[in-house]
mmCIF file with all atom_site columns, all heavy atoms in Angstrom:
data_model
loop_
_atom_site.group_PDB
_atom_site.id
_atom_site.type_symbol
_atom_site.label_atom_id
_atom_site.label_alt_id
_atom_site.label_comp_id
_atom_site.label_asym_id
_atom_site.label_entity_id
_atom_site.label_seq_id
_atom_site.pdbx_PDB_ins_code
_atom_site.Cartn_x
_atom_site.Cartn_y
_atom_site.Cartn_z
_atom_site.occupancy
_atom_site.B_iso_or_equiv
_atom_site.pdbx_formal_charge
_atom_site.auth_seq_id
_atom_site.auth_comp_id
_atom_site.auth_asym_id
_atom_site.auth_atom_id
_atom_site.pdbx_PDB_model_num
ATOM 1   N N   . LEU A 1 190 ? -0.239 -13.239 3.229   1.00 84.00 ? 1419 LEU A N   1
ATOM 2   C CA  . LEU A 1 190 ? -1.068 -12.018 2.752   1.00 84.00 ? 1419 LEU A CA  1
ATOM 3   C C   . LEU A 1 190 ? -0.865 -11.678 1.345   1.00 84.00 ? 1419 LEU A C   1
ATOM 4   O O   . LEU A 1 190 ? -1.776 -11.386 0.626   1.00 84.00 ? 1419 LEU A O   1
ATOM 5   C CB  . LEU A 1 190 ? -0.608 -10.850 3.690   1.00 84.00 ? 1419 LEU A CB  1
ATOM 6   C CG  . LEU A 1 190 ? -1.050 -10.835 5.095   1.00 84.00 ? 1419 LEU A CG  1
ATOM 7   C CD1 . LEU A 1 190 ? -0.424 -9.725  5.837   1.00 84.00 ? 1419 LEU A CD1 1
ATOM 8   C CD2 . LEU A 1 190 ? -2.570 -10.819 5.183   1.00 84.00 ? 1419 LEU A CD2 1
ATOM 9   N N   . ALA A 1 191 ? 0.442  -11.763 0.830   1.00 77.00 ? 1420 ALA A N   1
ATOM 10  C CA  . ALA A 1 191 ? 0.691  -11.503 -0.536  1.00 77.00 ? 1420 ALA A CA  1
ATOM 11  C C   . ALA A 1 191 ? 0.059  -12.532 -1.464  1.00 77.00 ? 1420 ALA A C   1
ATOM 12  O O   . ALA A 1 191 ? -0.579 -12.231 -2.490  1.00 77.00 ? 1420 ALA A O   1
ATOM 13  C CB  . ALA A 1 191 ? 2.245  -11.481 -0.795  1.00 77.00 ? 1420 ALA A CB  1
ATOM 14  N N   . MET A 1 192 ? 0.182  -13.760 -1.055  1.00 76.00 ? 1421 MET A N   1
ATOM 15  C CA  . MET A 1 192 ? -0.284 -14.887 -1.882  1.00 76.00 ? 1421 MET A CA  1
ATOM 16  C C   . MET A 1 192 ? -1.812 -14.938 -1.961  1.00 76.00 ? 1421 MET A C   1
ATOM 17  O O   . MET A 1 192 ? -2.461 -15.454 -2.922  1.00 76.00 ? 1421 MET A O   1
ATOM 18  C CB  . MET A 1 192 ? 0.236  -16.205 -1.419  1.00 76.00 ? 1421 MET A CB  1
ATOM 19  C CG  . MET A 1 192 ? 1.709  -16.467 -1.573  1.00 76.00 ? 1421 MET A CG  1
ATOM 20  S SD  . MET A 1 192 ? 2.352  -17.912 -0.851  1.00 76.00 ? 1421 MET A SD  1
ATOM 21  C CE  . MET A 1 192 ? 3.962  -17.948 -1.422  1.00 76.00 ? 1421 MET A CE  1
ATOM 22  N N   . ALA A 1 193 ? -2.481 -14.449 -0.859  1.00 80.00 ? 1422 ALA A N   1
ATOM 23  C CA  . ALA A 1 193 ? -3.902 -14.512 -0.880  1.00 80.00 ? 1422 ALA A CA  1
ATOM 24  C C   . ALA A 1 193 ? -4.556 -13.655 -1.958  1.00 80.00 ? 1422 ALA A C   1
ATOM 25  O O   . ALA A 1 193 ? -5.676 -13.863 -2.360  1.00 80.00 ? 1422 ALA A O   1
ATOM 26  C CB  . ALA A 1 193 ? -4.448 -14.030 0.472   1.00 80.00 ? 1422 ALA A CB  1
ATOM 27  N N   . GLU A 1 194 ? -3.820 -12.689 -2.484  1.00 81.00 ? 1423 GLU A N   1
ATOM 28  C CA  . GLU A 1 194 ? -4.343 -11.782 -3.427  1.00 81.00 ? 1423 GLU A CA  1
ATOM 29  C C   . GLU A 1 194 ? -4.427 -12.412 -4.896  1.00 81.00 ? 1423 GLU A C   1
ATOM 30  O O   . GLU A 1 194 ? -5.302 -12.044 -5.650  1.00 81.00 ? 1423 GLU A O   1
ATOM 31  C CB  . GLU A 1 194 ? -3.427 -10.481 -3.541  1.00 81.00 ? 1423 GLU A CB  1
ATOM 32  C CG  . GLU A 1 194 ? -3.370 -9.700  -2.349  1.00 81.00 ? 1423 GLU A CG  1
ATOM 33  C CD  . GLU A 1 194 ? -4.780 -9.236  -1.853  1.00 81.00 ? 1423 GLU A CD  1
ATOM 34  O OE1 . GLU A 1 194 ? -5.603 -8.860  -2.733  1.00 81.00 ? 1423 GLU A OE1 1
ATOM 35  O OE2 . GLU A 1 194 ? -5.043 -9.316  -0.623  1.00 81.00 ? 1423 GLU A OE2 1
ATOM 36  N N   . ASP A 1 195 ? -3.520 -13.320 -5.198  1.00 88.00 ? 1424 ASP A N   1
ATOM 37  C CA  . ASP A 1 195 ? -3.478 -14.003 -6.494  1.00 88.00 ? 1424 ASP A CA  1
ATOM 38  C C   . ASP A 1 195 ? -2.922 -15.381 -6.298  1.00 88.00 ? 1424 ASP A C   1
ATOM 39  O O   . ASP A 1 195 ? -1.754 -15.486 -5.888  1.00 88.00 ? 1424 ASP A O   1
ATOM 40  C CB  . ASP A 1 195 ? -2.681 -13.126 -7.458  1.00 88.00 ? 1424 ASP A CB  1
ATOM 41  C CG  . ASP A 1 195 ? -2.807 -13.665 -8.914  1.00 88.00 ? 1424 ASP A CG  1
ATOM 42  O OD1 . ASP A 1 195 ? -2.958 -14.841 -9.179  1.00 88.00 ? 1424 ASP A OD1 1
ATOM 43  O OD2 . ASP A 1 195 ? -2.791 -12.786 -9.854  1.00 88.00 ? 1424 ASP A OD2 1
ATOM 44  N N   . TRP A 1 196 ? -3.664 -16.424 -6.660  1.00 89.00 ? 1425 TRP A N   1
ATOM 45  C CA  . TRP A 1 196 ? -3.205 -17.770 -6.395  1.00 89.00 ? 1425 TRP A CA  1
ATOM 46  C C   . TRP A 1 196 ? -1.897 -18.116 -7.211  1.00 89.00 ? 1425 TRP A C   1
ATOM 47  O O   . TRP A 1 196 ? -1.084 -18.908 -6.813  1.00 89.00 ? 1425 TRP A O   1
ATOM 48  C CB  . TRP A 1 196 ? -4.281 -18.716 -6.827  1.00 89.00 ? 1425 TRP A CB  1
ATOM 49  C CG  . TRP A 1 196 ? -4.498 -18.938 -8.321  1.00 89.00 ? 1425 TRP A CG  1
ATOM 50  C CD1 . TRP A 1 196 ? -5.131 -18.023 -9.196  1.00 89.00 ? 1425 TRP A CD1 1
ATOM 51  C CD2 . TRP A 1 196 ? -4.125 -20.105 -9.071  1.00 89.00 ? 1425 TRP A CD2 1
ATOM 52  N NE1 . TRP A 1 196 ? -5.160 -18.438 -10.370 1.00 89.00 ? 1425 TRP A NE1 1
ATOM 53  C CE2 . TRP A 1 196 ? -4.523 -19.802 -10.406 1.00 89.00 ? 1425 TRP A CE2 1
ATOM 54  C CE3 . TRP A 1 196 ? -3.464 -21.229 -8.819  1.00 89.00 ? 1425 TRP A CE3 1
ATOM 55  C CZ2 . TRP A 1 196 ? -4.299 -20.607 -11.458 1.00 89.00 ? 1425 TRP A CZ2 1
ATOM 56  C CZ3 . TRP A 1 196 ? -3.300 -22.104 -9.902  1.00 89.00 ? 1425 TRP A CZ3 1
ATOM 57  C CH2 . TRP A 1 196 ? -3.762 -21.842 -11.176 1.00 89.00 ? 1425 TRP A CH2 1
ATOM 58  N N   . ARG A 1 197 ? -1.671 -17.340 -8.357  1.00 94.00 ? 1426 ARG A N   1
ATOM 59  C CA  . ARG A 1 197 ? -0.505 -17.585 -9.109  1.00 94.00 ? 1426 ARG A CA  1
ATOM 60  C C   . ARG A 1 197 ? 0.849  -17.229 -8.392  1.00 94.00 ? 1426 ARG A C   1
ATOM 61  O O   . ARG A 1 197 ? 1.855  -17.748 -8.664  1.00 94.00 ? 1426 ARG A O   1
ATOM 62  C CB  . ARG A 1 197 ? -0.621 -16.885 -10.464 1.00 94.00 ? 1426 ARG A CB  1
ATOM 63  C CG  . ARG A 1 197 ? -1.706 -17.363 -11.332 1.00 94.00 ? 1426 ARG A CG  1
ATOM 64  C CD  . ARG A 1 197 ? -1.958 -16.518 -12.586 1.00 94.00 ? 1426 ARG A CD  1
ATOM 65  N NE  . ARG A 1 197 ? -2.388 -15.207 -12.263 1.00 94.00 ? 1426 ARG A NE  1
ATOM 66  C CZ  . ARG A 1 197 ? -2.638 -14.262 -13.073 1.00 94.00 ? 1426 ARG A CZ  1
ATOM 67  N NH1 . ARG A 1 197 ? -2.595 -14.552 -14.353 1.00 94.00 ? 1426 ARG A NH1 1
ATOM 68  N NH2 . ARG A 1 197 ? -3.099 -13.059 -12.682 1.00 94.00 ? 1426 ARG A NH2 1
ATOM 69  N N   . ILE A 1 198 ? 0.718  -16.219 -7.491  1.00 93.00 ? 1427 ILE A N   1
ATOM 70  C CA  . ILE A 1 198 ? 1.873  -15.873 -6.654  1.00 93.00 ? 1427 ILE A CA  1
ATOM 71  C C   . ILE A 1 198 ? 2.323  -17.096 -5.848  1.00 93.00 ? 1427 ILE A C   1
ATOM 72  O O   . ILE A 1 198 ? 3.501  -17.341 -5.719  1.00 93.00 ? 1427 ILE A O   1
ATOM 73  C CB  . ILE A 1 198 ? 1.516  -14.703 -5.724  1.00 93.00 ? 1427 ILE A CB  1
ATOM 74  C CG1 . ILE A 1 198 ? 1.253  -13.453 -6.523  1.00 93.00 ? 1427 ILE A CG1 1
ATOM 75  C CG2 . ILE A 1 198 ? 2.718  -14.395 -4.829  1.00 93.00 ? 1427 ILE A CG2 1
ATOM 76  C CD1 . ILE A 1 198 ? 0.736  -12.250 -5.720  1.00 93.00 ? 1427 ILE A CD1 1
ATOM 77  N N   . ILE A 1 199 ? 1.378  -17.827 -5.289  1.00 90.00 ? 1428 ILE A N   1
ATOM 78  C CA  . ILE A 1 199 ? 1.699  -19.034 -4.541  1.00 90.00 ? 1428 ILE A CA  1
ATOM 79  C C   . ILE A 1 199 ? 2.338  -20.049 -5.375  1.00 90.00 ? 1428 ILE A C   1
ATOM 80  O O   . ILE A 1 199 ? 3.368  -20.636 -4.951  1.00 90.00 ? 1428 ILE A O   1
ATOM 81  C CB  . ILE A 1 199 ? 0.401  -19.659 -3.971  1.00 90.00 ? 1428 ILE A CB  1
ATOM 82  C CG1 . ILE A 1 199 ? -0.404 -18.633 -3.194  1.00 90.00 ? 1428 ILE A CG1 1
ATOM 83  C CG2 . ILE A 1 199 ? 0.778  -20.898 -3.097  1.00 90.00 ? 1428 ILE A CG2 1
ATOM 84  C CD1 . ILE A 1 199 ? -1.741 -19.168 -2.641  1.00 90.00 ? 1428 ILE A CD1 1
ATOM 85  N N   . VAL A 1 200 ? 1.892  -20.284 -6.616  1.00 95.00 ? 1429 VAL A N   1
ATOM 86  C CA  . VAL A 1 200 ? 2.517  -21.261 -7.466  1.00 95.00 ? 1429 VAL A CA  1
ATOM 87  C C   . VAL A 1 200 ? 3.933  -20.856 -7.867  1.00 95.00 ? 1429 VAL A C   1
ATOM 88  O O   . VAL A 1 200 ? 4.850  -21.703 -7.804  1.00 95.00 ? 1429 VAL A O   1
ATOM 89  C CB  . VAL A 1 200 ? 1.624  -21.490 -8.709  1.00 95.00 ? 1429 VAL A CB  1
ATOM 90  C CG1 . VAL A 1 200 ? 2.197  -22.636 -9.548  1.00 95.00 ? 1429 VAL A CG1 1
ATOM 91  C CG2 . VAL A 1 200 ? 0.231  -21.879 -8.314  1.00 95.00 ? 1429 VAL A CG2 1
ATOM 92  N N   . VAL A 1 201 ? 4.183  -19.603 -8.123  1.00 96.00 ? 1430 VAL A N   1
ATOM 93  C CA  . VAL A 1 201 ? 5.536  -19.127 -8.477  1.00 96.00 ? 1430 VAL A CA  1
ATOM 94  C C   . VAL A 1 201 ? 6.446  -19.384 -7.276  1.00 96.00 ? 1430 VAL A C   1
ATOM 95  O O   . VAL A 1 201 ? 7.591  -19.829 -7.403  1.00 96.00 ? 1430 VAL A O   1
ATOM 96  C CB  . VAL A 1 201 ? 5.487  -17.604 -8.924  1.00 96.00 ? 1430 VAL A CB  1
ATOM 97  C CG1 . VAL A 1 201 ? 6.959  -17.143 -9.105  1.00 96.00 ? 1430 VAL A CG1 1
ATOM 98  C CG2 . VAL A 1 201 ? 4.749  -17.486 -10.230 1.00 96.00 ? 1430 VAL A CG2 1
ATOM 99  N N   . LYS A 1 202 ? 6.027  -19.056 -6.039  1.00 93.00 ? 1431 LYS A N   1
ATOM 100 C CA  . LYS A 1 202 ? 6.802  -19.193 -4.881  1.00 93.00 ? 1431 LYS A CA  1
ATOM 101 C C   . LYS A 1 202 ? 7.128  -20.697 -4.608  1.00 93.00 ? 1431 LYS A C   1
ATOM 102 O O   . LYS A 1 202 ? 8.216  -21.032 -4.299  1.00 93.00 ? 1431 LYS A O   1
ATOM 103 C CB  . LYS A 1 202 ? 6.101  -18.508 -3.629  1.00 93.00 ? 1431 LYS A CB  1
ATOM 104 C CG  . LYS A 1 202 ? 6.967  -18.570 -2.447  1.00 93.00 ? 1431 LYS A CG  1
ATOM 105 C CD  . LYS A 1 202 ? 8.203  -17.720 -2.582  1.00 93.00 ? 1431 LYS A CD  1
ATOM 106 C CE  . LYS A 1 202 ? 9.167  -17.684 -1.411  1.00 93.00 ? 1431 LYS A CE  1
ATOM 107 N NZ  . LYS A 1 202 ? 10.371 -16.941 -1.624  1.00 93.00 ? 1431 LYS A NZ  1
ATOM 108 N N   . LEU A 1 203 ? 6.140  -21.538 -4.832  1.00 95.00 ? 1432 LEU A N   1
ATOM 109 C CA  . LEU A 1 203 ? 6.405  -23.006 -4.668  1.00 95.00 ? 1432 LEU A CA  1
ATOM 110 C C   . LEU A 1 203 ? 7.381  -23.457 -5.692  1.00 95.00 ? 1432 LEU A C   1
ATOM 111 O O   . LEU A 1 203 ? 8.169  -24.255 -5.393  1.00 95.00 ? 1432 LEU A O   1
ATOM 112 C CB  . LEU A 1 203 ? 5.030  -23.733 -4.746  1.00 95.00 ? 1432 LEU A CB  1
ATOM 113 C CG  . LEU A 1 203 ? 4.059  -23.584 -3.606  1.00 95.00 ? 1432 LEU A CG  1
ATOM 114 C CD1 . LEU A 1 203 ? 2.706  -24.245 -4.035  1.00 95.00 ? 1432 LEU A CD1 1
ATOM 115 C CD2 . LEU A 1 203 ? 4.583  -24.212 -2.388  1.00 95.00 ? 1432 LEU A CD2 1
ATOM 116 N N   . ALA A 1 204 ? 7.267  -23.002 -6.915  1.00 97.00 ? 1433 ALA A N   1
ATOM 117 C CA  . ALA A 1 204 ? 8.184  -23.399 -8.023  1.00 97.00 ? 1433 ALA A CA  1
ATOM 118 C C   . ALA A 1 204 ? 9.632  -22.863 -7.661  1.00 97.00 ? 1433 ALA A C   1
ATOM 119 O O   . ALA A 1 204 ? 10.628 -23.562 -7.853  1.00 97.00 ? 1433 ALA A O   1
ATOM 120 C CB  . ALA A 1 204 ? 7.729  -22.933 -9.303  1.00 97.00 ? 1433 ALA A CB  1
ATOM 121 N N   . ASP A 1 205 ? 9.715  -21.687 -7.116  1.00 96.00 ? 1434 ASP A N   1
ATOM 122 C CA  . ASP A 1 205 ? 10.931 -21.041 -6.743  1.00 96.00 ? 1434 ASP A CA  1
ATOM 123 C C   . ASP A 1 205 ? 11.617 -21.968 -5.610  1.00 96.00 ? 1434 ASP A C   1
ATOM 124 O O   . ASP A 1 205 ? 12.784 -22.314 -5.592  1.00 96.00 ? 1434 ASP A O   1
ATOM 125 C CB  . ASP A 1 205 ? 10.703 -19.658 -6.234  1.00 96.00 ? 1434 ASP A CB  1
ATOM 126 C CG  . ASP A 1 205 ? 11.955 -19.030 -5.638  1.00 96.00 ? 1434 ASP A CG  1
ATOM 127 O OD1 . ASP A 1 205 ? 13.040 -19.062 -6.218  1.00 96.00 ? 1434 ASP A OD1 1
ATOM 128 O OD2 . ASP A 1 205 ? 11.855 -18.541 -4.502  1.00 96.00 ? 1434 ASP A OD2 1
ATOM 129 N N   . ARG A 1 206 ? 10.794 -22.361 -4.591  1.00 96.00 ? 1435 ARG A N   1
ATOM 130 C CA  . ARG A 1 206 ? 11.341 -23.123 -3.496  1.00 96.00 ? 1435 ARG A CA  1
ATOM 131 C C   . ARG A 1 206 ? 11.678 -24.532 -4.061  1.00 96.00 ? 1435 ARG A C   1
ATOM 132 O O   . ARG A 1 206 ? 12.674 -25.203 -3.606  1.00 96.00 ? 1435 ARG A O   1
ATOM 133 C CB  . ARG A 1 206 ? 10.286 -23.259 -2.319  1.00 96.00 ? 1435 ARG A CB  1
ATOM 134 C CG  . ARG A 1 206 ? 10.593 -24.157 -1.267  1.00 96.00 ? 1435 ARG A CG  1
ATOM 135 C CD  . ARG A 1 206 ? 12.043 -23.906 -0.686  1.00 96.00 ? 1435 ARG A CD  1
ATOM 136 N NE  . ARG A 1 206 ? 12.115 -22.590 -0.068  1.00 96.00 ? 1435 ARG A NE  1
ATOM 137 C CZ  . ARG A 1 206 ? 12.215 -22.342 1.229   1.00 96.00 ? 1435 ARG A CZ  1
ATOM 138 N NH1 . ARG A 1 206 ? 12.102 -23.341 2.103   1.00 96.00 ? 1435 ARG A NH1 1
ATOM 139 N NH2 . ARG A 1 206 ? 12.281 -21.114 1.676   1.00 96.00 ? 1435 ARG A NH2 1
ATOM 140 N N   . LEU A 1 207 ? 10.983 -25.149 -4.935  1.00 97.00 ? 1436 LEU A N   1
ATOM 141 C CA  . LEU A 1 207 ? 11.254 -26.466 -5.490  1.00 97.00 ? 1436 LEU A CA  1
ATOM 142 C C   . LEU A 1 207 ? 12.581 -26.451 -6.187  1.00 97.00 ? 1436 LEU A C   1
ATOM 143 O O   . LEU A 1 207 ? 13.469 -27.335 -5.858  1.00 97.00 ? 1436 LEU A O   1
ATOM 144 C CB  . LEU A 1 207 ? 10.170 -26.916 -6.436  1.00 97.00 ? 1436 LEU A CB  1
ATOM 145 C CG  . LEU A 1 207 ? 10.411 -28.265 -7.172  1.00 97.00 ? 1436 LEU A CG  1
ATOM 146 C CD1 . LEU A 1 207 ? 10.587 -29.341 -6.116  1.00 97.00 ? 1436 LEU A CD1 1
ATOM 147 C CD2 . LEU A 1 207 ? 9.282  -28.570 -8.083  1.00 97.00 ? 1436 LEU A CD2 1
ATOM 148 N N   . HIS A 1 208 ? 12.883 -25.497 -6.986  1.00 97.00 ? 1437 HIS A N   1
ATOM 149 C CA  . HIS A 1 208 ? 14.204 -25.429 -7.640  1.00 97.00 ? 1437 HIS A CA  1
ATOM 150 C C   . HIS A 1 208 ? 15.301 -25.226 -6.652  1.00 97.00 ? 1437 HIS A C   1
ATOM 151 O O   . HIS A 1 208 ? 16.354 -25.879 -6.772  1.00 97.00 ? 1437 HIS A O   1
ATOM 152 C CB  . HIS A 1 208 ? 14.281 -24.443 -8.753  1.00 97.00 ? 1437 HIS A CB  1
ATOM 153 C CG  . HIS A 1 208 ? 15.614 -24.464 -9.492  1.00 97.00 ? 1437 HIS A CG  1
ATOM 154 N ND1 . HIS A 1 208 ? 16.482 -23.437 -9.424  1.00 97.00 ? 1437 HIS A ND1 1
ATOM 155 C CD2 . HIS A 1 208 ? 16.147 -25.453 -10.253 1.00 97.00 ? 1437 HIS A CD2 1
ATOM 156 C CE1 . HIS A 1 208 ? 17.573 -23.728 -10.093 1.00 97.00 ? 1437 HIS A CE1 1
ATOM 157 N NE2 . HIS A 1 208 ? 17.397 -25.020 -10.600 1.00 97.00 ? 1437 HIS A NE2 1
#
Side-chain angles (χ1 to χ4, degrees):
L1419 288 173
M1421 290 176 174
E1423 299 303 317
D1424 191 325
W1425 73 286
R1426 295 171 297 181
I1427 297 173
I1428 306 176
V1429 184
V1430 173
K1431 187 60 182 177
L1432 289 171
D1434 175 50
R1435 175 53 63 107
L1436 177 56
H1437 183 246

